[in-house]
């Protein structure tokens, strides 16, 4: 007789809510990860039976004062910061629990005493997908009064968007409105996150420690990590991955160069799962550094000291500073340095729309060339943002290509504007990387973009352009594991003959039965544009039937236009084929998102 019994056939010990929560947490975990969770649970159960233990103290009861740390994260930054906060709280001897916002039992909020929230804002003022429910709950009528709560919010965002940190601001204001007490002022971290996040974290933790009455002497000597560290190399300590292959995978006459890269992870200890991203620390294009030095008449070898470090100017620019993204700080500094009235004017509050337009359409070099100014090298380095890594969705399954190899798909950003060539930092760096060169990398796990744990589920993958990358990993992986569910890919790009990424592989997968449906939308082949959402609409009945049958739906690619249009199309499909009202259709889709059956990897 089989000793393993499916959880749904076991006598009900957990409430249905806890069962659902557990199922969601387990969704997408690999077998070895599930065994790890089982062992961890057994160890906690043992400790609980033996009586008091540090783990008990950390779990706390609903009434025992403890620190709860919640995060809402789209690209992993808020998660990373929240994990660091939890590890530091533990080291300081504070009882702490760390939760993703969609795993937080909302009824706990009324009993919560100390709460730290780290949350990002997407594009035009949207919350990350994993925090939608929490943000809506808090904004709504059901949110409880919170007179006993001490809290602090760290918002993450990008100041080149008008709705910078809007969600952080909203939560911070709403918690105060509900009667809660701020432990620390709202932190608003820009793309160079640490500049704000580091001091905010120290302040918030110090205040939380005092409010919880944890003596400073409770600090543990060794750092305790709230979560197991899966990877040895990290964002801060990247691995030098060797380039094994770098191939252009669009035709010569394609308007956009797209490259397929294969990197070696040999000896790194880095592991990844389908859905994860790879972080890349780029080097700025040498030709761009040269343009800057010429425009500014500065010497590349000049030594510059900043933040206690001394490096030649060319190195500061090439490896340490953002040269391809314009920021308010830099525009303001250049306005002051050049004394130019146009720049001063665009910075005024009433010209916010023109300013946003300037940020979106220019790089710093354009201002350096148009509005001449004499910059001191030290001031220049201080006015520029530190370089940040870029994330690419992993395009391979370790099961298919081996654990020591990783693939990615890169669209090279390169265009002429204002009389000069322009590049994207990471895409230029990667697409021009020679074989055997090394690239500094780390793995960014993405637990919200996982294949279904139940391999009999169908999956629908919508990935135009390089958004198709993670679906190559999905299809490879399902093929290796012999998953029973069907795989449906909806891909779009500009031209069939030039830009059909991985065409041969998809055709081969169709033939082998590893891909069951492939729908294509080439936008610039006909008189009218055709996009992936047009194909979805045409196949609406079938798509709705797959979803009603339990399929998981994934979207990867551009967040600002494509993902929004696809979202709207899915609602229309539920109205047309599910008989829903528009409101009910919106709710149906929100439900899929909450259940983790509608996942998005968009930016
Ligand atoms: P792209 O050239 O920007 O677009 C691909 C296709 O989508 C084109 O046919 C384009 O048509 C079409 N499109 C344009 N607007 C659309 C809309 N509103 N709805 C549906 N389709 C639309 O593709 P890409 O340069 O490869 O960029 C893909 C995006 O994915 C980027 O934003 C990138 O940041 C993001 N992304 C990439 C990865 C990765 O690992 N590589 C991972 C996650 C996200 P037209 O141009 O003809 O209008």
């Amino acid at each position: 007789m089989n000793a393993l019994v499916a959880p749904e056939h076991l006598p009900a010990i957990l409430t249905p809510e806890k069962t659902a929560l557990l199922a969601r947490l387990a969704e997408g975990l690999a077998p070895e990860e599930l065994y790890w969770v089982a062992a961890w649970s057994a160890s906690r159960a043992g400790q609980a039976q033996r009586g008091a233990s540090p783990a008990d103290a950390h779990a706390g009861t609903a009434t025992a004062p403890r620190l709860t740390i919640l995060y809402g994260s789209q690209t992993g930054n808020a998660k990373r910061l929240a994990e660091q906060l939890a590890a530091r709280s533990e080291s300081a001897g504070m009882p702490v629990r760390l939760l993703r916002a969609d795993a937080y039992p909302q009824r706990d909020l009324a009993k919560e005493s100390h709460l730290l929230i780290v949350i990002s804002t997407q594009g035009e003022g949207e919350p990350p997908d994993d925090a939608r429910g929490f943000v809506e709950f808090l904004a709504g009528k059901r949110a409880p009064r919170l007179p006993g709560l001490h809290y602090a919010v760290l918002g993450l965002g990008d100041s080149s968007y008008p709705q910078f940190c809007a969600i952080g601001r909203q939560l911070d204001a709403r918690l105060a409105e509900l009667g809660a007490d701020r432990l620390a002022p709202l932190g608003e971290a820009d793309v160079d996150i640490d500049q704000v996040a580091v001091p905010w974290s120290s302040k918030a933790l110090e205040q939380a420690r005092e409010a919880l009455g944890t003596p400073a002497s409770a600090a543990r000597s060794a750092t305790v990590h709230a979560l197991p560290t899966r990877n040895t190399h990290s964002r801060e300590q990247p691995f030098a991955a060797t380039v094994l292959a770098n191939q252009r995978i669009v035709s010569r006459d394609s308007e956009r160069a797209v490259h397929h890269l294969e990197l070696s992870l040999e000896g790194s200890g880095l592991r990844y799962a389908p859905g994860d991203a790879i972080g890349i620390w780029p080097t700025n294009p040498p030709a761009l550094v040269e343009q800057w030095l010429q425009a500014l008449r500065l010497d590349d070898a000049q030594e510059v000291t900043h933040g206690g470090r001394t490096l030649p100017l060319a190195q500061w620019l090439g490896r340490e500073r953002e040269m391809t993204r314009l920021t308010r700080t830099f525009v303001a500094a250049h306005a002051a340095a050049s004394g130019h009235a146009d720049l001063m004017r665009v910075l005024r509050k009433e010209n916010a729309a023109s300013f946003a337009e300037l940020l979106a359409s220019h790089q710093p070099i354009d201002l350096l060339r148009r509005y001449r100014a004499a910059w001191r090298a030290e001031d220049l380095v201080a006015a520029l943002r530190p370089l940040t890594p870029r994330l690419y969705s992993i395009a391979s399954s370790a099961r298919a290509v081996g654990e020591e190899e990783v693939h990615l798909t890169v669209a090279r950003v390169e265009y002429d504007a204002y009389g000069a060539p322009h590049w994207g930092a990471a895409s230029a760096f990667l697409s021009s990387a020679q074989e055997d060169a090394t690239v500094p990398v780390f793995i960014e796990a993405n637990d919200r973009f996982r294949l279904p744990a139940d391999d009999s589920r169908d999956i629908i993958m919508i990935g135009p352009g390089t958004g198709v990358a993670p679906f190559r990993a999905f299809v490879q992986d399902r093929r290796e594991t012999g998953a029973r569910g069907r795989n449906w890919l909806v891909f779009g790009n500009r031209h069939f003959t030039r830009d059909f990424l991985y065409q041969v592989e998809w055709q081969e997968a169709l033939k082998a039965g590893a891909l069951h449906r492939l729908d294509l939308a080439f936008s610039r082949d006909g008189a009218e544009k055709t996009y992936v959402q047009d194909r979805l609409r045409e196949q609406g009945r079938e798509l709705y039937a797959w979803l009603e049958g339990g399929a998981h739906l994934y979207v990867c690619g551009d967040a600002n236009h494509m993902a929004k249009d696809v979202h709207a199309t899915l609602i229309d499909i539920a109205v047309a084929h599910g008989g829903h009202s528009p409101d009910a259709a919106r709710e149906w889709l929100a439900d899929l998102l909450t259940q983790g059956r509608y996942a998005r990897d968009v930016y």
Side-chain angles (χ1 to χ4, degrees):
M1 198 183 95
N2 191 344
L4 293 175
V5 182
E8 59 273 23
H9 301 310
L10 288 170
I13 294 179
L14 299 180
T15 60
E17 197 188 358
K18 281 185 177 164
T19 311
L21 196 61
L22 203 58
R24 251 200 7 250
L25 286 173
E27 188 84 45
L29 291 184
E32 63 273 18
E33 292 171 317
L34 286 167
Y35 282 123
W36 184 89
V37 172
W40 177 81
S41 309
S43 140
R44 278 182 73 108
Q47 282 167 348
Q49 276 173 352
R50 283 194 300 277
S53 75
D56 289 330
H58 286 225
T61 62
T63 47
R66 78 178 152 200
L67 179 63
T68 295
I69 300 174
L70 288 189
Y71 65 86
S73 193
Q74 195 76 30
T75 59
N77 286 320
K79 175 170 177 258
R80 179 174 49 84
L81 289 169
E83 286 174 2
Q84 286 169 0
L85 272 176
R88 285 178 64 188
S89 316
E90 279 200 316
S91 304
M94 280 183 262
V96 61
R97 66 169 177 165
L98 170 68
L99 289 166
R100 201 169 71 189
D102 61 357
Y104 181 65
Q106 290 169 356
R107 64 171 187 286
D108 279 12
L109 187 61
K111 296 174 281 181
E112 210 65 72
S113 60
H114 300 80
L115 177 67
L116 301 182
I117 299 178
V118 187
I119 192 159
S120 60
T121 296
Q122 304 312 305
E124 288 149 30
E126 304 274 311
D129 282 344
D130 58 7
R132 275 172 193 276
F134 180 73
V135 170
E136 274 168 26
F137 165 72
L138 205 63
K141 290 197 187 80
R142 291 207 183 87
R145 296 283 310 157
L146 299 167
L149 178 69
H150 303 275
Y151 77 97
V153 178
L154 174 61
L156 308 188
D158 181 340
S159 63
S160 49
Y161 287 87
Q163 296 299 322
F164 175 58
C165 284
I167 299 299
R169 287 178 191 168
Q170 180 187 324
L171 294 191
D172 179 69
R174 179 64 173 154
L175 288 168
E177 190 185 24
L178 293 169
D181 229 17
R182 267 190 204 90
L183 284 169
L186 168 72
E188 297 187 7
D190 206 341
V191 179
D192 50 343
I193 302 169
D194 288 351
Q195 215 175 343
V196 168
V198 169
W200 181 92
S201 299
S202 298
K203 166 107 182 151
L205 285 179
E206 185 49 32
Q207 296 296 320
R209 196 184 57 73
E210 274 182 25
L212 278 162
T214 311
S217 57
R220 312 239 182 96
S221 50
T223 304
V224 180
H225 290 285
L227 291 174
T229 321
R230 271 208 314 209
N231 286 318
T232 41
H233 286 277
S234 61
R235 186 180 194 268
E236 288 71 32
Q237 284 184 306
F239 173 71
T242 304
V243 178
L244 300 171
N246 178 357
Q247 294 159 348
R248 183 179 163 111
I249 53 166
V250 287
S251 74
R252 200 170 300 179
D253 53 350
S254 172
E255 297 134 13
R256 193 107 193 256
V258 176
H259 287 241
H260 170 78
L261 271 96
E262 303 187 355
L263 306 178
S264 168
L265 296 178
E266 197 179 336
S268 67
L270 290 173
R271 293 285 172 267
Y272 65 91
D276 284 346
I278 184 161
I280 307 283
W281 285 98
T283 297
N284 283 309
L288 181 61
V289 175
E290 197 45 48
Q291 280 186 16
W292 279 54
L293 293 169
Q294 274 179 15
L296 293 165
R297 296 197 185 88
L298 288 171
D299 173 11
D300 60 346
Q302 179 181 351
E303 299 269 307
V304 178
T305 302
H306 178 79
R309 288 194 307 150
T310 303
L311 300 170
L313 178 59
Q315 193 168 333
W316 275 113
L317 293 178
R319 291 173 181 251
E320 303 283 335
R321 287 296 180 265
E322 287 290 350
M323 296 180 70
T324 54
R325 292 176 177 176
L326 206 47
T327 62
R328 174 172 279 276
T329 311
F330 183 77
V331 177
H334 195 59
S338 66
H340 211 287
D342 284 358
L343 279 181
M344 306 276 193
R345 204 171 309 118
V346 80
L347 282 159
R348 289 200 206 118
K349 228 182 179 155
E350 65 270 24
N351 294 329
S354 321
F355 183 68
E357 167 66 24
L358 177 82
L359 290 193
S361 55
H362 289 70
Q363 291 194 352
I365 184 67
D366 303 320
L367 302 198
L368 297 181
R369 289 156 55 108
R370 193 176 308 162
Y371 309 106
R372 294 282 170 181
W375 273 93
R376 283 181 54 236
E378 280 75 11
D379 297 336
L380 181 70
V381 168
L384 292 170
R385 254 185 201 170
L387 190 66
T388 47
R390 314 294 203 259
L391 296 180
Y392 286 83
S393 309
I394 291 176
S396 55
S397 154
R399 284 194 175 92
V401 304
E403 281 189 336
E404 309 219 301
E405 200 172 306
V406 65
H407 300 176
L408 52 158
T409 317
V410 179
R412 182 178 170 96
V413 176
E414 182 173 21
Y415 56 93
D416 284 323
Y418 318 112
H422 289 62
W423 298 273
S427 68
F429 171 63
L430 288 170
S431 57
S432 48
Q434 302 288 320
E435 277 178 28
D436 293 330
T438 57
V439 174
V441 305
F442 58 95
I443 300 293
E444 187 74 41
N446 185 358
D447 291 335
R448 283 196 49 91
F449 205 76
R450 289 277 182 253
L451 281 167
D454 171 0
D455 75 1
S456 68
R457 297 287 182 112
D458 295 333
I459 61 171
I460 305 164
M461 302 163 279
I462 303 164
T466 56
V468 79
F471 303 136
R472 182 173 180 266
F474 277 19
V475 171
Q476 281 185 351
D477 205 76
R478 301 252 288 185
R479 189 171 183 171
E480 288 299 315
T481 57
R484 291 161 295 161
R486 294 171 296 171
N487 306 330
W488 179 355
L489 175 67
V490 188
F491 171 73
N493 222 345
R494 295 179 183 181
H495 299 285
F496 174 81
T497 51
R498 302 178 193 166
D499 310 304
F500 192 167
L501 308 182
Y502 302 114
Q503 176 181 9
V504 174
E505 289 188 29
W506 300 128
Q507 283 166 343
E508 202 269 320
L510 275 171
K511 220 190 275 170
L515 187 63
H516 303 83
R517 283 199 65 146
L518 175 63
D519 282 285
L520 301 165
F522 289 97
S523 54
R524 303 189 188 185
D525 278 347
E528 287 193 7
K529 292 241 175 176
T530 309
Y531 288 151
V532 283
Q533 58 271 28
D534 299 316
R535 294 288 175 256
L536 300 180
R537 217 180 279 281
E538 286 162 19
Q539 308 293 333
R541 181 179 303 281
E542 179 95 18
L543 183 109
Y544 190 78
W546 277 50
L547 288 172
E548 284 301 280
H552 288 224
L553 177 78
Y554 303 88
V555 181
C556 180
D558 162 57
N560 289 331
H561 306 288
M562 183 277 294
K564 283 191 182 140
D565 295 346
V566 166
H567 188 87
T569 305
L570 293 170
I571 292 171
D572 292 348
I573 288 172
V575 170
H577 302 285
H580 294 288
S581 68
D583 277 348
R586 264 186 281 278
E587 216 162 284
W588 166 82
L589 199 53
D591 256 11
L592 285 186
L593 200 74
T594 319
Q595 290 169 30
R597 284 214 289 129
Y598 171 29
R600 299 189 290 184
D601 177 10
V602 296
Y603 40 84

